[in-house]
Amino acid sequence: MSCSLFEFCRLQELKTVKDYLFQSQKTEPAEEKNQTENELSWDTSDWDSAWDSGDGKEEEATSATTVEEESTGQSGPWLQDCIVALSPCSDLLVVAREQKAVFLSAKWRTGDNGREEMTLAVSWTGSLSSDEGECVSSAICIPLASQKRSSTGRPDWTCVIVGFTSGYVRFYTENGVLLLAQLLHEDPVLRLKCRTYEIPRHPGVSEQHEELSILYPAALVTIDGFSLFQSLRACRNQVARAAAAGSDVIQPPPLAYKKWGLQDMDTIVDHSSVGVMTLCVFDQMKNASILGGFNASVKGNPPAMSQYVTVGGGPYTGFYYAVEGSSQPLLSHVAMAVASKLTSALFSAASGWLGWNKNKNEEEATQKQKPKVEPATPLGVRYGLPDSRRHGESICLSPCHTLAGVTDDFGRVTLLDLARGIAIRMWKGYRDAQLGWLHVPEERGDREHSPSASLPRRHALFLVIYAPRRGILEVWAMQQGPRVGAFTVGKHCRLLYAGYRLMGVNSVTSQGWRLHTQQVCLLDPITGAMRTVNIPFHLALSDKKSERAKDMHLLKRLTTILRSREVEPDILESEAKSALLDIKHPAIKKQALESLLANKNAPISCLTNITSALYDTLKQQDPEEVDTVLVQLCSSQLKLLQLYTDMQHLHSAADTEACSETLDSLEGIEDELSRVGPTLQRYGQLTSRPSVSFAQDSPDLPLPAQAFLSQLEYTEDGQLRVIHGSDTEWNKLGNFLFWGCLNGKSPLHEVCDTLQQAGISPQQLLSLLLSVWLQREKEVLQKPEERVRNLHTLLITLSNMKGAVEESWDTQSISPWWQQVRCTCVQSHNAAAALLAALVAHRAAKASITSRADSQLQSEWEAVSLELEQWVVCVRQLEDMLVLQTLLLVPPPQGSAGGATAQCSIKMLLEGGTGGITDSVSKWVFRQNLAPERLKEILQKREDIGSDEKLEPKSGEEGKEEKKKSQDDTDGTAELLVAVCQRFPHSLSPDLLLAHCCWEYVVQWNKDPEEGQYLYWSMQHLKLVSSPHIQLGICTMMWSTFIVKRFSAAAYLMEKVGKAPKDRLCRRDVGMGDKAATSFLGCCVQLLQILMEADSGVEEVPLPELSVEEAWCGAEGPASIAELALEQRGVHYPLVQHHCLLASLLHAAMTFSLKLKPLSMFDSKGKNAFFRDLTTIQLMPSGDMDPGLVSQRQEFLLRVLTGWVQAIDDPSSSASGTRSPLLPSNGPKADWWPSLCLELGSLLQVNPDILRRHLVCELYNQGLDLRAEEVMLEVEDRDVLGSQLLVLTGQRLSYSLLHSQSQTQAAMELLARLPPTLCTWLKAMDPSELRCPLVPLSQTSRLVGRLIEMLPENHGQYSLALHLLEAVEILTTED
């Protein structure tokens, strides 16, 4: 990493700035200019443009980015004639010339590449001078820190301070508003400089106070920073108030300043205020003896002094020391611009009103009266650098205040040591040079690796020199360092170096701040680019005789060689070996060796040769000089490379050994394999489905040496340890070591001996062996017998290794060795491979224990049975697990909800608690989309496995084949489920499984409430649960967890809108659409009905006992759903009924889209009881209800009956009724609506006979006479019904005689024959009220016959009924 120039900002509108500042040259009339100026100046525009166009061409050739091409010729040197000041935060640039100034402020814009870029755009232009003939001579921008606690280092605002040739110093805001003006000396201002607070880097460095220093030709004024900060803030606040309201003038605090008359120098052009310093005792004694002679007395405490360095002529540089306390600070009256403007404006207005009109000359005289100027305190030069011909031009102080760079008229740059007052370095050939400093901290990364990491962070100092004559920018390391960077930048740039940061900061407020300041900035007026210099810290370090630098170069070279893929192995080996051996530093040598060993391109032979060569070299050196860590690394890596090579040779060996000696202990394994064979086969079919995998993850790929080395390491005691990284890497290593043996292609005993000699512990080898066995389950199941034998041999060989089974193992306890095998099998998700491993390990453990017991001549059957008992339980669990996993692997039917296949292990099931097994099966039922009735059927089938299902008749040959295939699949699935249920008779008892399925469906519904079928099927599963205790608990939990919140939201929403809400409102408040909300409310009714039935049946049935299979007793975890259900408290039956009533009303309103305010149907007690906990006893409505409420209820129920009648006879409503095929029996056409209304009527104190009569009339009105006759039989008040039906009959006859479009002559004749009373009555009828007026005459005659039967003879309308009967008979005979 080297020096670089980085563009961080770009100036906008450069041409505008130039035109504004230089427009006087073009437009100013000749008579306004001074005569002498006219005589002495001539027009040089042609001359300048000729020279500048040449420069412009050269610049164009070197710089690719040129802006404002039309003005390149003229835009060259104009900036050199201007006063330029940049804020250290780079957010404000001031360009001034004569009386005019332009302020440019930072703005962010999106560049062509889409990135945010900072630009400086013109924010203010104007004239700064107020006195005639004065011009801007110096300017500076000081950012003022924010006083807010939340500030992180950004300035609050920036003050622009401008010095004038009249001696005035004026202070402006960023917007050009004048804050205050001070006349502290009556000579032209030469330079303005500022010093701000810096955090001391070392304990011995004294804190420097903030100050602003103003240089005049023979005087220096220093204004205290704190005083200035307070005054500027006060003035700015005053300006803001004045702008807002013209408030009273507040006098800001006076400025505290010191004024020194600089003596003993002929001319002064620039200065630096170094700060307060204290001499050491030796320097104090030296100064005293030089100044006072041999007998001079020396004070006890060295005085604190402020040091000032000036440059100019006679002497070339002067060093001034002002002893603290020798001069008292002067207080100046702050002449506030705003105050004077306000008062003058008010007085002039007042004088106009009151008729006072002072002499204008008097006013002008008072305004022009200058403030009193304090005399300067004389200060003599202590010493200087006399050089009569050399004149200094500028001085630039370093950030650490110990060095300064001085430019002169001889084109030299001199470096001064300010503490000693001497020149320590000089550069030649830099005429008109501009200087800046860069202070670079050490990178944190380098710091951590350096030997001095505990010491404070180091900083490097660089001097930046811009030589405009040569158009070059150079960076030099201090103090005697080389040039570390050079850039060709053009001849018209300006190097801007502030040398200060934010004003108003102290040691407390600056903590935690990150000051966003640029140290050096190069402004190019041609392109408008502002660039800063980036210098890495390491360029300050000396590289002469640096072995470390050479080593780093060699390491870089080695890295480059290793990265290139085209290099031949021989060249790679020789190059890498020479580079590695040439490196001297042990840490870098170690880093190089590690990068070589981690490289994938280097072959194994190359790695071995290089490592052994390095090891030999290290061994030949003096043991005391050699790094022991490096020697150990070489030794261990050589051993590992040898082991890798040996293993490769063993796996490629063709001959394999027979393992007949272990066959005796494998007796009986074939029987066990044949017993679990069918399940293994089915499991294998389900797991061998095609799946996607990446080629680089294939276990058949050879393990590279680099991966092998990265996973093994030698411990301090010489043991070889396998590092357990990711599971993939672990499996690859196991694959490399053992898969050849399991496949029967490698010599088992030789492999094990090699690994034992290498020093790997048997426990880690066992873990690697089991991991590869379990990972490659599919291959194992292809040849189970052969691979089981090889696994058995390997297990026996490993268990016979030293350190596997402890010699002192007490046979009364469990062996940690075999326990490790069991733990691995228990945690595995690969059920088949885990079962086979357990069967093999069980045999091996049995053989091992038997031989141990024989060798000890004892028969401790307890110990033997304890270890083997664990194996029996483990094998039993794995067999159960295999059957369960086979079931879970059955893929869901196409189009169902599906989801990922659940991976389960024994450990997961045990940790899942007593309901873990049931839970996994219920999730499978959900994925399979198994209907509740079908599930119940399968569960009953396990009682009688022999009973076969009757197949439905199929149609079509193709259909037969497809149906037969799907039937076989479902039969196979059903058999699997039955087999699982037989293995888990307690955990998968029908009630438990149905309860879990019910809960699973309601959980899935809660995730997606639009899927109403899930909730419906949840209710169906719940209905099938036989135990009322479980039903009651599940209902209570379901109600409180999932239902009541949405249910209450639906009720409140309907109460608010007063009708069945639309889809948008339902989604907003209930969280589902209107169709889903309708089915949800239907399910709520079902749930509350099931709850009431369960509550009624609880007393008659004993509490069910929940138990777990013996092998699965160790389950630890959450309680099952059934257990939680049995723990629930009983419910308050009337409260459940009360909610059921509300649910029924809501469901009816949603189904038939009726108007309803459901909560208004109840009195205050009824309303208060809603949505309370169902287990609590609430105050319920009792006694007679308010007649107004009863009539509202009656009206609603009548509308429900009307809606139902219209729905059952409406062919179009069949679509809307069954649009959601989820709930076939819950639509508006369901037959149970009338009975529900009658039931609700009895509960809501509505007369059921009114409901029945209304239903009969509605059915006749709809033309459904047969249904009406069925309901008519239950009506009690037949007189009223007769009267109602008489009107209906009249409407039918009126329609057929008077309003029918096909009026016949016979009908007209019949009307003429009818009695006048009947005729008048028929004409008064309105048949438009009939929904179905075209009814067959036979039905109407039956209706009239019923009327005659119903009405008593003494009834007022009996005669009318007889006339009707007569008329109908005539019509019938004529038809």
Side-chain angles (χ1 to χ4, degrees):
M1 196 168 74
S2 58
C3 266
S4 61
L5 269 181
F6 164 68
E7 182 181 327
F8 67 92
C9 179
R10 194 168 273 271
L11 264 66
Q12 300 288 315
E13 309 164 6
L14 262 176
K15 192 169 185 301
T16 313
V17 175
K18 185 193 165 195
D19 290 348
Y20 175 74
L21 293 176
F22 288 86
Q23 66 185 354
S24 58
Q25 288 185 351
K26 301 171 189 174
T27 60
E28 207 171 73
E31 60 267 22
E32 284 187 18
K33 290 195 173 184
N34 198 337
Q35 185 63 31
T36 55
E37 236 178 280
N38 255 340
E39 288 172 2
L40 294 172
S41 62
W42 57 84
D43 187 12
T44 61
S45 57
D46 296 340
W47 175 277
D48 287 344
S49 62
W51 277 104
D52 294 339
S53 61
D55 287 346
K57 283 173 191 169
E58 183 184 333
E59 186 63 41
E60 241 173 65
T62 56
S63 172
T65 57
T66 46
V67 178
E68 303 173 334
E69 290 169 7
E70 72 278 4
S71 64
T72 352
Q74 295 85 15
S75 69
W78 68 270
L79 200 65
Q80 309 294 356
D81 301 337
C82 301
I83 306 293
V84 183
L86 177 70
S87 163
C89 298
S90 308
D91 56 357
L92 182 68
L93 179 74
V94 173
V95 186
R97 181 177 175 274
E98 295 178 351
Q99 293 89 11
K100 295 176 182 172
V102 179
F103 293 3
L104 296 100
S105 299
K107 286 185 173 54
W108 290 89
R109 70 181 182 92
T110 307
D112 301 333
N113 54 1
R115 282 184 173 177
E116 288 287 315
E117 294 176 349
M118 191 174 101
T119 60
L120 286 172
V122 174
S123 58
W124 183 85
T125 57
S127 178
L128 294 177
S129 65
S130 55
D131 291 4
E132 193 177 338
E134 68 175 2
C135 295
V136 176
S137 58
S138 182
I140 188 172
C141 302
I142 303 181
L144 276 73
S146 170
Q147 298 297 294
K148 294 174 183 171
R149 288 188 179 181
S150 59
S151 175
T152 56
R154 294 301 300 172
D156 189 15
W157 62 290
T158 304
C159 181
V160 180
I161 305 173
V162 184
F164 291 87
T165 52
S166 61
Y168 265 102
V169 177
R170 295 190 177 90
F171 300 80
Y172 300 88
T173 66
E174 315 101 310
N175 302 320
V177 177
L178 178 61
L179 294 178
L180 50 101
Q182 292 285 301
L183 182 65
L184 302 173
H185 194 70
E186 290 188 320
D187 286 336
V189 175
L190 296 182
R191 281 292 167 94
L192 295 169
K193 290 201 175 177
C194 177
R195 186 175 67 236
T196 55
Y197 174 79
E198 284 285 336
I199 301 166
R201 291 188 191 88
H202 307 290
V205 179
S206 57
E207 284 193 7
Q208 297 295 339
H209 297 296
E210 297 185 317
E211 70 172 20
L212 173 71
S213 56
I214 307 164
L215 181 69
Y216 299 92
L220 176 67
V221 173
T222 60
I223 302 176
D224 176 56
F226 180 74
S227 165
L228 178 65
F229 182 70
Q230 298 300 335
S231 297
L232 288 175
R233 282 185 66 208
C235 293
R236 186 167 179 263
N237 293 342
Q238 182 61 43
V239 166
R241 287 197 194 95
S247 61
D248 294 328
V249 178
I250 299 168
Q251 185 64 32
L255 282 178
Y257 69 96
K258 292 180 181 177
K259 184 172 175 183
W260 305 102
L262 304 177
Q263 299 178 334
D264 308 324
M265 262 186 90
D266 295 346
T267 54
I268 299 175
V269 293
D270 199 0
H271 78 290
S272 270
S273 172
V274 181
V276 179
M277 57 171 292
T278 307
L279 291 176
C280 66
V281 179
F282 176 79
D283 286 346
Q284 186 195 2
M285 293 171 73
K286 179 188 72 172
N287 290 345
S289 62
I290 290 171
L291 295 172
F294 180 74
N295 296 317
S297 61
V298 181
K299 291 180 182 176
N301 293 326
M305 298 180 290
S306 294
Q307 185 183 17
Y308 306 106
V309 184
T310 58
V311 296
Y316 154 61
T317 58
F319 291 80
Y320 291 87
Y321 292 88
V323 178
E324 290 291 301
S326 63
S327 167
Q328 291 301 316
L330 304 168
L331 295 179
S332 85
H333 172 72
V334 176
M336 235 181 10
V338 182
S340 60
K341 281 181 186 172
L342 275 175
T343 48
S344 61
L346 285 169
F347 270 118
S348 62
S351 62
W353 302 326
L354 300 174
W356 301 337
N357 197 357
K358 289 185 181 178
N359 190 356
K360 285 190 177 179
N361 295 334
E362 283 179 30
E363 280 184 24
E364 286 175 13
T366 54
Q367 281 188 5
K368 283 189 177 180
Q369 187 181 354
K370 290 188 175 178
K372 180 187 172 189
V373 176
E374 300 286 345
T377 306
L379 189 64
V381 69
R382 174 75 62 86
Y383 55 85
L385 296 179
D387 190 339
S388 58
R389 293 171 58 211
R390 190 185 304 272
H391 288 267
E393 291 181 342
S394 69
I395 181 169
C396 185
L397 183 66
S398 73
C400 55
H401 296 185
T402 56
L403 302 173
V406 179
T407 63
D408 57 40
D409 57 351
F410 285 177
R412 308 285 197 270
V413 174
T414 310
L415 183 67
L416 297 184
D417 183 335
L418 299 179
R420 295 187 288 163
I422 59 172
I424 55 176
R425 192 171 184 182
M426 189 177 276
W427 289 268
K428 181 182 174 184
Y430 292 89
R431 194 169 296 280
D432 302 329
Q434 298 166 28
L435 306 181
W437 291 92
L438 274 173
H439 204 248
V440 180
E442 184 176 14
E443 290 93 344
R444 295 200 180 277
D446 292 355
R447 190 81 189 132
E448 289 163 8
H449 300 301
S450 72
S452 54
S454 58
L455 298 175
R457 202 170 166 196
R458 296 182 295 175
H459 290 73
L461 193 60
F462 298 92
L463 177 65
V464 182
I465 306 175
Y466 169 56
R469 298 288 183 103
R470 292 191 284 158
I472 192 168
L473 184 80
E474 297 181 348
V475 182
W476 292 81
M478 291 293 100
Q479 294 179 12
Q480 303 296 333
R483 187 175 78 170
V484 295
F487 309 94
T488 304
V489 292
K491 297 184 178 182
H492 305 302
C493 299
R494 283 291 288 268
L495 184 67
L496 304 174
Y497 171 69
Y500 58 91
R501 294 195 182 192
L502 271 70
M503 181 172 273
V505 179
N506 56 43
S507 57
V508 179
T509 56
S510 65
Q511 286 180 0
W513 279 18
R514 297 187 64 181
L515 301 176
H516 311 272
T517 54
Q518 301 285 0
Q519 296 186 61
V520 167
C521 172
L522 187 77
L523 171 58
D524 187 344
I526 294 172
T527 63
M530 293 181 72
R531 291 177 286 181
T532 186
V533 187
N534 280 342
I535 306 180
F537 174 82
H538 69 78
L539 292 180
L541 303 174
S542 169
D543 56 352
K544 293 174 184 174
K545 300 178 184 177
S546 171
E547 286 187 354
R548 188 181 180 85
K550 186 184 174 188
D551 285 354
M552 292 300 286
H553 173 71
L554 287 167
L555 176 62
K556 198 173 181 181
R557 187 172 128 211
L558 176 66
T559 312
T560 312
I561 296 164
L562 293 174
R563 277 188 190 149
S564 58
R565 294 169 181 247
E566 293 80 18
V567 183
E568 293 292 323
D570 299 340
I571 301 167
L572 174 68
E573 184 178 329
S574 63
E575 289 281 334
K577 189 188 290 185
S578 68
L580 191 61
L581 295 177
D582 285 348
I583 293 173
K584 300 285 188 291
H585 203 280
I588 300 176
K589 199 184 278 275
K590 180 170 177 280
Q591 189 181 346
L593 179 62
E594 285 170 349
S595 64
L596 173 69
L597 293 170
N599 186 263
K600 293 178 181 175
N601 300 332
I604 182 74
S605 57
C606 169
L607 296 177
T608 310
N609 294 340
I610 295 173
T611 313
S612 58
L614 177 60
Y615 186 62
D616 295 341
T617 312
L618 292 170
K619 278 293 179 188
Q620 288 165 12
Q621 293 176 9
D622 185 3
E624 291 182 0
E625 294 178 2
V626 178
D627 185 13
T628 51
V629 177
L630 187 58
V631 176
Q632 286 171 3
L633 177 69
C634 287
S635 168
S636 61
Q637 296 302 312
L638 270 176
K639 288 179 190 171
L640 290 177
L641 288 167
Q642 188 58 47
L643 174 63
Y644 180 80
T645 315
D646 292 347
M647 292 303 296
Q648 273 189 325
H649 289 322
L650 284 171
H651 289 318
S652 58
D655 56 328
T656 59
E657 60 200 61
C659 44
S660 55
E661 67 272 11
T662 59
L663 288 178
D664 51 350
S665 61
L666 261 176
E667 287 175 11
I669 193 100
E670 285 82 3
D671 299 339
E672 290 184 340
L673 284 176
S674 60
R675 181 167 53 81
V676 296
T679 316
L680 282 175
Q681 190 179 354
R682 182 74 196 270
Y683 178 87
Q685 287 170 359
L686 291 167
T687 52
S688 62
R689 291 175 181 274
S691 59
V692 177
S693 62
F694 294 101
Q696 62 262 34
D697 295 337
S698 169
D700 297 321
L701 286 175
L703 182 77
Q706 291 72 24
F708 182 79
L709 295 175
S710 66
Q711 289 189 71
L712 294 160
E713 68 173 13
Y714 273 95
T715 57
E716 292 177 1
D717 55 356
Q719 290 292 313
L720 186 57
R721 188 172 71 87
V722 185
I723 305 163
H724 201 317
S726 67
D727 289 342
T728 312
E729 290 173 356
W730 185 263
N731 289 335
K732 281 181 179 174
L733 182 61
N735 212 52
F736 172 69
L737 297 179
F738 289 116
W739 182 242
C741 303
L742 290 170
N743 239 352
K745 293 179 180 175
S746 307
L748 300 167
H749 289 291
E750 286 183 35
V751 169
C752 292
D753 291 345
T754 307
L755 292 171
Q756 186 178 10
Q757 286 162 13
I760 306 177
S761 71
Q763 283 76 14
Q764 286 201 313
L765 290 174
L766 177 65
S767 180
L768 286 164
L769 171 63
L770 292 172
S771 76
V772 69
W773 175 264
L774 295 169
Q775 180 217 2
R776 308 206 55 164
E777 185 183 58
K778 289 179 185 176
E779 290 95 328
V780 166
L781 290 177
Q782 288 166 6
K783 298 178 185 174
E785 292 84 2
E786 178 193 337
R787 288 182 177 141
V788 158
R789 283 196 200 91
N790 293 331
L791 176 66
H792 186 268
T793 311
L794 278 170
L795 268 179
I796 292 286
T797 313
L798 290 180
S799 62
N800 290 335
M801 276 187 188
K802 186 181 178 184
V805 182
E806 292 181 11
E807 295 293 330
S808 61
W809 171 47
D810 178 14
T811 46
Q812 292 285 349
S813 60
I814 293 166
S815 163
W817 173 260
W818 297 115
Q819 181 65 24
Q820 183 185 345
V821 183
R822 277 198 297 276
C823 282
T824 309
C825 293
V826 160
Q827 290 172 13
S828 172
H829 295 291
N830 303 314
L835 174 60
L836 292 174
L839 290 172
V840 171
H842 184 196
R843 295 274 162 194
K846 194 172 184 180
S848 168
I849 290 169
T850 309
S851 64
R852 186 178 282 266
D854 291 345
S855 67
Q856 292 176 359
L857 298 174
Q858 293 171 350
S859 55
E860 298 178 3
W861 297 108
E862 293 85 355
V864 171
S865 61
L866 181 62
E867 177 64 43
L868 295 182
E869 186 61 36
Q870 292 273 344
W871 274 117
V872 170
V873 172
C874 181
V875 169
R876 166 73 192 186
Q877 286 177 335
L878 284 164
E879 285 181 13
D880 292 349
M881 181 74 209
L882 178 65
V883 180
L884 177 62
Q885 185 70 40
T886 310
L887 176 74
L888 298 182
L889 283 169
V890 173
Q894 286 183 337
S896 65
T901 304
Q903 287 286 334
C904 60
S905 62
I906 294 173
K907 188 183 178 190
M908 276 176 62
L909 290 180
L910 290 173
E911 286 174 353
T914 49
I917 296 158
T918 330
D919 193 47
S920 56
V921 176
S922 68
K923 284 182 167 60
W924 175 83
V925 168
F926 170 75
R927 283 201 309 277
Q928 290 292 323
N929 218 6
L930 210 57
E933 297 79 16
R934 172 74 178 141
L935 179 63
K936 183 78 172 175
E937 192 182 317
I938 294 170
L939 293 175
Q940 285 171 347
K941 188 178 170 185
R942 80 169 173 185
E943 307 297 329
D944 178 20
I945 299 169
S947 65
D948 294 319
E949 286 187 346
K950 293 178 182 177
L951 301 178
E952 294 177 8
K954 312 290 185 296
S955 60
E957 285 302 317
E958 234 178 80
K960 275 186 186 176
E961 281 183 22
E962 283 182 17
K963 297 258 181 171
K964 186 172 186 296
K965 188 183 175 194
S966 66
Q967 190 66 35
D968 289 345
D969 285 350
T970 52
D971 285 353
T973 306
E975 282 172 22
L976 257 178
L977 182 54
V978 169
V980 172
C981 290
Q982 284 176 333
R983 291 203 78 90
F984 298 100
H986 303 302
S987 297
L988 294 179
S989 63
D991 272 5
L992 284 189
L993 184 54
L994 288 166
H996 274 267
C997 288
C998 160
W999 194 258
E1000 178 63 26
Y1001 269 104
V1002 79
V1003 165
Q1004 296 294 340
W1005 166 81
N1006 190 53
K1007 289 177 186 172
D1008 184 8
E1010 290 295 322
E1011 291 288 345
Q1013 187 175 5
Y1014 292 164
L1015 187 59
Y1016 177 72
W1017 274 17
S1018 177
M1019 297 304 139
Q1020 299 311 306
H1021 280 108
L1022 188 56
K1023 281 181 185 173
L1024 296 174
V1025 175
S1026 59
S1027 164
H1029 296 274
I1030 296 176
Q1031 264 187 338
L1032 179 75
I1034 296 257
C1035 285
T1036 313
M1037 293 194 301
M1038 203 187 286
W1039 174 260
S1040 58
T1041 310
F1042 301 109
I1043 305 294
V1044 70
K1045 191 176 176 184
R1046 293 183 194 273
F1047 178 66
S1048 61
Y1052 287 129
L1053 175 62
M1054 203 178 287
E1055 180 73 15
K1056 184 178 174 183
V1057 298
K1059 60 180 181 180
K1062 294 285 188 290
D1063 189 76
R1064 183 182 63 81
L1065 289 173
C1066 281
R1067 288 183 191 282
R1068 189 193 70 189
D1069 286 20
V1070 193
M1072 58 185 96
D1074 54 351
K1075 294 285 184 289
T1078 308
S1079 72
F1080 162 67
L1081 291 167
C1083 292
C1084 290
V1085 178
Q1086 284 190 39
L1087 178 70
L1088 293 164
Q1089 285 172 347
I1090 295 168
L1091 184 51
M1092 290 192 288
E1093 288 170 20
D1095 188 50
S1096 309
V1098 162
E1099 302 297 329
E1100 302 163 13
V1101 184
L1103 205 67
E1105 288 184 11
L1106 303 178
S1107 55
V1108 183
E1109 293 74 24
E1110 193 178 348
W1112 295 88
C1113 285
E1116 292 176 0
S1120 69
I1121 292 296
E1123 286 173 347
L1124 292 173
L1126 295 179
E1127 290 170 7
Q1128 301 300 312
R1129 289 191 296 162
V1131 294
H1132 184 47
Y1133 187 91
L1135 185 58
V1136 179
Q1137 192 179 43
H1138 190 54
H1139 279 88
C1140 189
L1141 203 58
L1142 177 64
S1144 302
L1145 292 174
L1146 293 172
H1147 184 216
M1150 287 297 288
T1151 305
F1152 298 108
S1153 302
L1154 301 176
K1155 288 188 176 180
L1156 170 69
K1157 289 203 166 194
L1159 301 179
S1160 304
M1161 293 277 183
F1162 298 89
D1163 60 8
S1164 58
K1165 285 183 191 171
K1167 285 179 189 172
N1168 288 335
F1170 283 127
F1171 319 123
R1172 306 277 180 184
D1173 187 357
L1174 298 180
T1175 58
T1176 57
I1177 296 175
Q1178 300 290 334
L1179 199 62
M1180 303 299 295
S1182 57
D1184 290 342
M1185 197 55 64
D1186 177 29
L1189 276 180
V1190 174
S1191 68
Q1192 279 182 29
R1193 295 170 172 182
Q1194 178 179 311
E1195 186 188 344
F1196 176 70
L1197 292 175
L1198 296 180
R1199 274 187 284 138
V1200 172
L1201 289 170
T1202 306
W1204 175 74
V1205 171
Q1206 288 174 357
I1208 56 173
D1209 197 48
D1210 182 11
S1212 65
S1213 81
S1214 64
S1216 65
T1218 57
R1219 179 154 29 167
S1220 52
L1222 338 159
L1223 325 172
S1225 59
N1226 265 22
K1229 288 191 169 192
D1231 291 337
W1232 43 261
W1233 281 110
S1235 56
L1236 175 71
C1237 286
L1238 292 170
E1239 192 181 327
L1240 291 175
S1242 61
L1243 293 169
L1244 294 170
Q1245 300 184 7
V1246 175
N1247 184 355
D1249 206 50
I1250 296 174
L1251 299 177
R1252 288 195 193 97
R1253 292 205 302 267
H1254 178 77
L1255 180 59
V1256 171
C1257 293
E1258 285 296 323
L1259 287 167
Y1260 273 122
N1261 193 343
Q1262 195 71 39
L1264 304 171
D1265 292 22
L1266 290 175
R1267 284 202 182 215
E1269 287 173 15
E1270 290 173 17
V1271 182
M1272 198 193 290
L1273 301 173
E1274 298 172 14
V1275 176
E1276 293 170 5
D1277 194 344
R1278 300 171 76 81
D1279 291 10
V1280 178
L1281 180 63
S1283 310
Q1284 290 171 326
L1285 292 178
L1286 189 68
V1287 174
L1288 206 135
T1289 317
Q1291 287 170 341
R1292 282 187 181 181
L1293 269 179
S1294 172
Y1295 180 82
S1296 58
L1297 292 174
L1298 299 169
H1299 297 86
S1300 175
Q1301 291 174 354
S1302 57
Q1303 280 192 336
T1304 58
Q1305 191 179 356
M1308 299 306 293
E1309 288 174 3
L1310 175 64
L1311 269 174
R1313 280 167 30 202
L1314 288 178
T1317 52
L1318 180 62
C1319 207
T1320 312
W1321 185 73
L1322 282 176
K1323 283 177 182 174
M1325 289 292 117
D1326 182 12
S1328 64
E1329 292 176 10
L1330 292 173
R1331 281 193 296 276
C1332 181
L1334 279 171
V1335 183
L1337 210 54
S1338 57
Q1339 287 187 16
T1340 311
S1341 66
R1342 273 184 66 124
L1343 174 57
V1344 176
R1346 295 288 169 135
L1347 272 175
I1348 299 293
E1349 291 172 16
M1350 268 193 276
L1351 293 173
E1353 291 184 12
N1354 58 358
H1355 195 278
Q1357 293 176 317
Y1358 187 76
S1359 59
L1360 198 59
L1362 289 174
H1363 286 314
L1364 275 175
L1365 180 65
E1366 204 176 308
V1368 170
E1369 281 175 356
I1370 294 166
L1371 276 172
T1372 316
T1373 52
E1374 286 193 3
D1375 279 354

